[in-house]
Amino acid sequence: MRTIMRKLFKFFYNVEVKGLENFEKAGDRVLIVANHLSFIDAALIYLFMPQRPLFAVNRFIAQKWYFKPFLKLVKNFPLDPTNPMATKAMINEIRKDKKCMIFPEGRITVTGSLMKVYEGPGMIADKSNAKILPVRIDGAQYTPFSRLKGKVRIKLFPKITVTILEPRTFDIDAEIKGRKRRHAAGIKLYDLMSQMLFDSSDYKRTLFRSVIDQSHIHGRRHIIAEDALRKPINYGSLITRCFILGDKIAQNTKKGEYVGVMLPNMVTSIVTFFALQYIGRVPAMLNFSTGEKNLISACKTAKIKTIYTSKRFVTMGKLEGIVEAAKKQKIKVIYLEDIAGEVNIFDKLTGFCKGLFPSAFYKPEKNAYQKPAVVLFTSGSEGTPKGVVLSHENIQANRYQLASRVDFGPTDIVFNALPIFHSFGLTGGTLLPLLSGIRTFFYPSPLHYRIVPELIYDTNATIMFGTDTFLSGYARFANNYDFYSVRYVFAGAEKLKEETRRLWAEKYGVRIFEGYGATETSPALSTNTPMHNKPGTVGRLLPAIEYKLEDVPGIEEGGKLIVKGANIMKGYLLSKTPGKLIPPEDGYYDTGDIVSMDDEGYITIKGRAKRFAKIAGEMVSLTAVETYLSKLWAYNHHAVVSIPDAKKGEALVLVTDKTDAERADISAYAKKQGIGELSVPKTIKIVDKVPLLGTGKTDYVSVQKLAS
């Protein structure tokens, strides 16, 4: 019977099993854990594992009539989740050197992603001293036997892949006992499951190939993007337009060339980005908010010869000065409207035919995923901007790292007002959803605090991204019901104030999940999630990221975070060596951030290594000073910098928009909170508006000039 069923599954589902050698490596005492996508998952494990495992089955589920035929075929162990003795009996069974199968999620996913992972299976693995064998099932979520009908494109017989990864063991401190040990085992199991999802993901693919893949999965008619013009675009139209525009751009550029893109958040920008991917050009996303000097500097650094932009955008954004400055540097500026006027019926027909059979016309070279995919320019909040070159593999790895921890799916709608020239806006708010089948609404400015909440309400957005500055602005002007549909809000790029977090939770009933990263890390390194959330921290490191904390003289708690992983950039483009790629040393990236990490792996940012002042021999965190000032005056914006001081080495200067700020008030508050006098700014400079970058982060270069 087992042989016949296996042949039927192979025939109908083209089942492919990878990593069979890992099954033998696991030995005899093994706990097999797998993600749970459909009602046929258990059958897949039963049919395609070399040996028949013992299935742990919820006693109440085992009583269902439709499970009874399957249970007669397999060895099973009924578990009563309300009876602790049943778990002990399960542990004793595994100790008899048996292979046992458990689905740690306890239920079939309704999102297509990893859902809640129960602590029980982790405790069973720990107590039985068993090897853990992770198994990834993929493709079963598209069968009629999943719970995703109406959420994804269901196919009668999709291809199913079963990947057996290398066996793992838990390493839990022997001193941890009782509930704490159970909790620790649960976290270990969750990390193992998310690591399994990442390790078995296909992140070694080009971005345009992933767009084609998603069109096959969700269908050409699946709407994927919309902007303020309210003209939605589906995968079929996106791919067709990429072929048409790409063929036109290819006439003015060379393969591998860095091509400037100066466009706001709109559908046309996405088409331009992927059109460049199709023809093997590298889009260099230009930050038009920093002025012509920085933009021209960026063009020189990346040796950009051509910029693609829009006449309408240049006029509305009053960017004529930047365009003229670029032309003076002999940089060719091409308007998309002019290209549209050149497209004839033959071009459209050719693009349409290519769009019907995209795989036949898109043939990337071998290992193309290792090539540069985009150039982003650092915001320059603390110095001269640099070009950051990210490969296809970098971006793909980071989106799969996030996908292994956050349960999002095709039924979600992302609202993205963060600029696409910023890493958070491009990779987090644009590429992650577009390459995952998630519809995204693009809005050109995050500064419209009254309009953005109204559009979130109107579009029924479920996921949004923002910085503290923008999120606090939306919260002040939004109606109480504007965010009724929002499931998750992810904050990054700057520290999330407690007042902002509290306001969103109390007024709108929405939790903000704070994360952390850098342009150089594509960008996410860590994030809080619905499963693991600790306010005040930036969450836990994502899977497949190595790290080390380097001691910093004068800093007692924590160290400088240095990271390595598949999401770390290919390298820098520097102004002193234009066009030359400078890779990170030994693959490690020095974040320059001083962080501490607790026993569960939650990271707390202490501040930038550069943002510490040495006052009277003591190291003072400028970030920590800003943090307590934001608690004292929660509805104002503050920036703290240091200047040379003849007596104490350095002195703190507060730049704030609070019109009645007094040093005496700060000193009194600091004393009440037990904060030392060295952390009280010596000088206060009141301004109408604290300088900000286009990304919403504080412009510390301008702040420093004001302070000096």
Side-chain angles (χ1 to χ4, degrees):
M1 177 64 76
R2 186 166 179 254
T3 303
I4 294 171
M5 288 179 66
R6 187 190 296 123
K7 287 182 177 179
L8 287 172
F9 267 71
K10 276 196 171 184
F11 177 78
F12 287 111
Y13 295 110
N14 190 23
V15 177
E16 181 183 3
V17 182
K18 300 178 181 178
L20 275 172
E21 68 280 2
N22 292 322
F23 191 91
E24 299 302 324
K25 286 182 186 177
D28 296 322
R29 189 181 300 183
V30 182
L31 181 67
I32 303 170
V33 294
N35 57 321
H36 208 356
L37 300 176
S38 71
F39 286 104
I40 62 172
D41 293 345
L44 289 165
I45 299 296
Y46 165 68
L47 295 173
F48 293 97
M49 292 298 107
Q51 297 176 27
R52 301 183 188 185
L54 174 68
F55 282 84
V57 184
N58 186 308
R59 184 169 65 86
F60 303 106
I61 293 177
Q63 293 172 358
K64 303 285 186 181
W65 66 268
Y66 44 82
F67 277 116
K68 288 182 178 179
F70 174 74
L71 294 178
K72 288 180 180 179
L73 296 173
V74 303
K75 294 181 287 184
N76 63 85
F77 189 95
L79 269 176
D80 184 349
T82 63
N83 184 359
M85 296 306 295
T87 303
K88 289 183 179 180
M90 181 80 253
I91 292 169
N92 290 332
E93 282 295 311
I94 298 176
R95 282 176 176 169
K96 296 175 184 177
D97 289 343
K98 291 185 177 180
K99 290 182 171 69
C100 177
M101 170 67 214
I102 293 181
F103 292 104
E105 292 169 273
R107 60 174 292 185
I108 296 171
T109 180
V110 294
T111 65
S113 304
L114 191 66
M115 295 180 67
K116 182 173 79 170
V117 173
Y118 283 90
E119 295 176 347
M123 185 191 69
I124 290 172
D126 178 43
K127 294 285 187 181
S128 64
N129 197 28
K131 287 278 185 73
I132 300 175
L133 188 66
V135 176
R136 164 81 180 269
I137 300 170
D138 193 31
Q141 68 269 37
Y142 303 118
T143 68
F145 301 104
S146 75
R147 285 184 168 162
L148 298 179
K149 189 176 181 181
K151 299 178 181 180
V152 299
R153 188 186 185 197
I154 298 297
K155 299 178 182 178
L156 204 56
F157 300 113
K159 178 178 174 57
I160 294 177
T161 304
V162 178
T163 306
I164 307 169
L165 287 89
E166 289 201 0
R168 321 282 170 89
T169 54
F170 280 168
D171 183 19
I172 302 175
D173 192 335
E175 298 298 317
I176 302 175
K177 305 288 184 183
R179 287 185 179 180
K180 287 185 177 180
R181 189 172 187 88
R182 180 188 178 99
H183 180 64
I187 289 179
K188 290 277 187 182
L189 181 60
Y190 180 84
D191 288 348
L192 184 147
M193 294 289 288
S194 56
Q195 181 75 43
M196 172 194 77
L197 292 179
F198 175 77
D199 288 344
S200 57
S201 64
D202 190 8
Y203 61 87
K204 295 182 178 181
R205 296 178 81 76
T206 64
L207 299 182
F208 195 66
R209 169 56 61 192
S210 287
V211 172
I212 295 172
D213 291 343
Q214 290 300 312
S215 74
H216 291 155
I217 291 171
H218 300 285
R220 288 172 48 82
R221 294 183 180 180
H222 182 74
I223 294 175
I224 195 60
E226 187 179 4
D227 59 22
L229 297 177
R230 296 307 181 103
K231 294 180 180 178
I233 187 172
N234 57 35
Y235 274 122
S237 180
L238 172 62
I239 293 170
T240 298
R241 289 169 66 177
C242 285
F243 280 123
I244 295 171
L245 180 59
D247 289 340
K248 289 293 183 182
I249 294 176
Q251 298 171 13
N252 298 301
T253 57
K254 295 179 181 178
K255 197 161 189 176
E257 179 183 336
Y258 297 133
V259 179
V261 176
M262 190 175 75
L263 292 167
N265 287 20
M266 59 184 187
V267 167
T268 304
S269 308
I270 308 309
V271 174
T272 305
F273 179 88
F274 282 110
L276 290 166
Q277 301 295 340
Y278 150 57
I279 58 174
R281 276 57 166 175
V282 184
M285 312 305 287
L286 298 174
N287 184 347
F288 46 82
S289 70
T290 57
E292 61 184 67
K293 182 182 177 182
N294 277 356
L295 188 138
I296 296 303
S297 173
C299 289
K300 289 180 178 178
T301 298
K303 287 191 170 181
I304 293 171
K305 300 175 184 176
T306 309
I307 295 175
Y308 285 87
T309 187
S310 159
K311 282 181 183 177
R312 184 167 181 262
F313 169 60
V314 169
T315 302
M316 293 183 69
K318 298 178 181 179
L319 302 174
E320 292 87 353
I322 289 178
V323 171
E324 289 305 313
K327 288 180 178 178
K328 285 180 182 178
Q329 297 296 324
K330 297 183 178 179
I331 299 171
K332 194 174 183 180
V333 178
I334 298 177
Y335 295 108
L336 295 176
E337 291 90 341
D338 293 340
I339 296 178
E342 297 172 2
V343 174
N344 55 41
I345 189 66
F346 177 76
D347 296 326
K348 291 180 180 179
L349 187 60
T350 302
F352 177 75
C353 292
K354 287 183 176 181
L356 289 177
F357 308 100
S359 296
F361 294 95
Y362 176 64
K363 300 287 186 181
E365 61 187 79
K366 189 178 180 181
N367 297 330
Y369 63 87
Q370 297 176 342
K371 302 284 186 181
V374 68
V375 179
L376 295 168
F377 295 91
T378 56
S379 56
S381 59
E382 295 173 11
T384 305
K386 300 184 286 282
V388 177
V389 180
L390 300 177
S391 69
H392 298 265
E393 183 179 7
N394 293 153
I395 295 169
Q396 297 273 30
N398 201 231
R399 82 173 177 95
Y400 280 117
Q401 286 168 329
L402 284 166
S404 70
R405 291 281 176 88
V406 183
D407 63 314
F408 52 77
T411 54
D412 281 307
I413 298 174
V414 169
F415 188 94
N416 183 25
L418 293 177
I420 57 174
F421 58 68
H422 185 256
S423 60
F424 197 15
L426 178 67
T427 56
T430 302
L431 297 181
L432 187 149
L434 289 181
L435 301 181
S436 304
I438 301 172
R439 182 171 179 165
T440 304
F441 187 93
F442 294 96
Y443 189 71
S445 174
L447 295 170
H448 298 167
Y449 294 145
R450 294 183 186 276
I451 297 174
V452 167
E454 183 65 33
L455 284 172
I456 290 171
Y457 171 75
D458 189 50
T459 57
N460 296 312
T462 60
I463 297 174
M464 64 178 293
F465 301 87
T467 65
D468 178 84
T469 301
F470 298 146
L471 293 175
S472 62
Y474 304 148
R476 288 199 305 271
F477 292 99
N479 180 277
N480 287 11
Y481 202 64
D482 280 343
F483 305 121
Y484 85 97
S485 61
V486 175
R487 292 201 304 134
Y488 303 142
V489 177
F490 291 96
E494 63 176 336
K495 184 174 177 58
L496 180 68
K497 296 189 185 79
E498 181 57 35
E499 175 64 22
T500 306
R501 187 197 314 277
R502 185 185 60 78
L503 185 59
W504 274 78
E506 293 180 1
K507 187 176 180 181
Y508 305 109
V510 177
R511 286 189 297 172
I512 299 178
F513 298 107
E514 187 175 3
Y516 162 67
T519 304
E520 292 86 346
T521 60
S522 307
L525 281 173
S526 69
T527 186
N528 282 289
T529 67
M531 183 78 177
H532 294 113
N533 182 39
K534 185 174 284 188
T537 74
V538 292
R540 303 164 67 239
L541 285 174
L542 296 173
I545 294 176
E546 299 176 37
Y547 78 95
K548 51 187 178 182
L549 294 180
E550 189 177 273
D551 290 336
V552 178
I555 305 297
E556 295 181 2
E557 185 183 2
K560 187 165 62 171
L561 181 64
I562 299 172
V563 293
K564 184 178 185 179
N567 59 315
I568 304 303
M569 64 175 177
K570 281 190 73 69
Y572 282 123
L573 297 175
L574 304 177
S575 57
K576 59 184 179 183
T577 54
K580 183 181 179 181
L581 186 68
I582 311 297
E585 190 174 346
D586 297 325
Y588 279 97
Y589 167 63
D590 182 348
T591 66
D593 290 315
I594 307 299
V595 311
S596 64
M597 193 176 292
D598 67 15
D599 294 338
E600 294 183 354
Y602 288 95
I603 298 171
T604 301
I605 308 293
K606 299 295 183 181
R608 296 283 296 167
K610 295 177 182 177
R611 300 210 69 238
F612 277 79
K614 196 167 188 178
I615 304 174
E618 296 290 331
M619 298 296 284
V620 176
S621 168
L622 305 184
T623 303
V625 176
E626 289 174 349
T627 299
Y628 85 72
L629 286 171
S630 70
K631 293 178 181 177
L632 171 61
W633 297 317
Y635 296 101
N636 296 94
H637 191 184
H638 318 289
V640 178
V641 293
S642 63
I643 59 174
D645 183 79
K647 291 183 178 180
K648 295 186 177 181
E650 290 183 86
L652 302 185
V653 178
L654 166 63
V655 177
T656 179
D657 58 9
K658 184 169 176 60
T659 55
D660 58 347
E662 295 286 346
R663 188 179 188 279
D665 294 335
I666 300 174
S667 185
Y669 178 81
K671 187 175 181 180
K672 187 177 179 181
Q673 298 297 319
I675 298 169
E677 187 66 20
L678 292 179
S679 295
V680 176
K682 183 179 180 180
T683 307
I684 298 175
K685 186 170 183 63
I686 297 171
V687 295
D688 292 332
K689 190 176 182 181
V690 177
L692 294 177
L693 296 165
T695 56
K697 295 164 70 175
T698 302
D699 183 353
Y700 284 108
V701 173
S702 299
V703 170
Q704 191 72 52
K705 289 177 181 177
L706 288 172
S708 302

